[in-house]
Amino acid sequence: MSITRPYISYGAGSQDKIVCDRFLRSLNVRPLETVTASSSYVITGLVHELNGWALLTPTNALSGKTFLDNLQWAPLPEGKQLLRSTWVVGDSFNREQQVDLVCKLAQEALKDKFAPHIKNFAPGLANYIEIVSQD
């Protein structure tokens, strides 16, 4: 399926671009025009200005909050999901406590800080965000 509106994407080498490109291929979606951007803020601005579309994680979308009132959000097709992983790592010598602490603090920040903001611009979207630990 070809999409005629411009697809606004992260630039080459970005992990988000790689994940999103794979996802679009799995749906057999081929944008006719792709515009690359350097940041989530620029992506949301270009979606607004160019009447385009993008795949963004909820937390990345917060970076473009200047434009959020002018954007429409839609879920991915039923049965499809897009996962984005970020890892907290430490060296193997007595660093397990620090890694666990960072994971716990990230979970608390997500719940207490990010989720309320995300609920304001896209109700229900916060339900799709979680931080898990690898115990």
Side-chain angles (χ1 to χ4, degrees), residues 3 13 15 35 85 87 107-108 126:
I3 304 293
Q15 187 63 33
V35 176
S85 298
W87 295 89
Q107 288 170 322
E108 289 173 5

Side-chain angles (χ1 to χ4, degrees), residues 23-122:
F23 180 76
L24 292 175
R25 280 193 305 275
S26 77
L27 295 174
N28 198 29
V29 171
R30 290 180 297 280
L32 293 179
E33 180 181 7
T34 300
V35 176
T36 59
S38 59
S39 70
S40 301
Y41 177 81
V42 174
I43 287 177
T44 56
L46 288 173
V47 167
H48 170 68
E49 291 297 320
L50 299 176
N51 195 24
W53 63 281
L55 295 171
L56 286 173
T57 65
T59 52
N60 283 13
L62 282 177
S63 298
K65 59 186 165 190
T66 302
F67 307 100
L68 294 182
D69 290 341
N70 300 310
L71 300 180
Q72 180 181 10
W73 301 93
L76 296 174
E78 189 170 331
K80 295 290 183 178
Q81 62 180 358
L82 189 58
L83 300 176
R84 180 176 189 243
S85 298
T86 301
W87 295 89
V88 178
V89 296
D91 69 35
S92 59
F93 298 106
N94 302 317
R95 299 290 188 242
E96 185 175 334
Q97 289 180 334
Q98 287 97 340
V99 170
D100 289 344
L101 177 61
V102 170
C103 184
K104 180 179 180 238
L105 292 172
Q107 288 170 322
E108 289 173 5
L110 178 65
K111 178 183 169 209
D112 299 337
K113 304 290 184 197
F114 285 112
H117 290 298
I118 292 168
K119 286 178 186 174
N120 286 336
F121 74 82

